[in-house]
């Protein structure tokens, strides 16, 4: 058993030795428009992915989050039922839309 003086906080006293785990916070990632961090997290946590027959809509479920992607002429994304402001979150929007399969023929140079 450890004993600490009342004025000493155990977490602060040993903070240099505590592992630093970053908790995933999707709201924080969205506010920073951090597509790299979202991609990193999703690559290790994706549980299921379903695509519509026309390949223009997808639902991605991971941990306790759901992302709905619509790639029609005006892209729309919902994260946990909340519309993503695609204009303000261009990096995340581009990342999620890039995951949609493309039926476009390859362009030759």
């Amino acid at each position: 058993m450890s004993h600490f003086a009342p004025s000493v906080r155990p977490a602060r006293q040993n903070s240099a030795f505590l592992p630093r785990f970053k908790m995933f916070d999707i709201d924080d990632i969205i506010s920073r428009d951090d597509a790299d961090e979202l991609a990193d997290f999703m690559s290790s946590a994706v549980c299921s992915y379903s695509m519509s027959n026309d390949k223009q809509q997808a639902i991605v479920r991971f941990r306790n989050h759901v992302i709905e992607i619509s790639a029609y002429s005006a892209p729309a994304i919902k994260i946990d039922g909340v519309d993503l402001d695609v204009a303000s979150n261009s990096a995340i929007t581009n990342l999620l839309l890039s995951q949609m399969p493309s039926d476009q023929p390859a362009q030759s140079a």
Side-chain angles (χ1 to χ4, degrees):
M1 226 140 131
S2 298
H3 176 72
F4 295 99
S7 63
V8 177
R9 291 183 182 167
R12 282 197 177 264
Q13 181 185 24
N14 296 323
S15 63
F17 303 107
L18 294 175
R20 297 189 183 190
F21 296 107
K22 190 171 184 181
M23 293 298 293
F24 177 74
D25 181 357
I26 199 161
D27 294 327
D28 180 49
I29 290 172
I30 291 169
S31 70
R32 291 183 284 115
D33 197 26
D34 193 339
D36 292 334
E37 186 174 348
L38 183 61
D40 241 8
F41 182 77
M42 289 178 66
S43 68
S44 63
V46 170
C47 299
S48 67
Y49 183 88
S50 57
M51 177 78 59
S52 65
N53 288 337
D54 65 0
K55 296 187 170 107
Q56 294 297 304
Q57 293 182 311
I59 297 176
V60 179
R61 291 180 175 89
F62 61 99
R63 292 198 184 170
N64 60 342
H65 300 286
V66 176
I67 298 177
E68 302 167 66
I69 307 166
S70 177
Y72 291 110
S73 59
I77 297 171
K78 283 187 177 187
I79 300 177
D80 295 335
V82 178
D83 289 320
L84 178 71
D85 181 355
V86 295
S88 297
N89 300 100
S90 58
I92 289 176
T93 299
N94 290 336
L95 167 73
L96 295 172
L97 290 175
S98 74
Q99 303 303 307
M100 302 290 286
S102 174
D103 292 334
Q104 304 288 330
Q107 294 182 2
S108 55

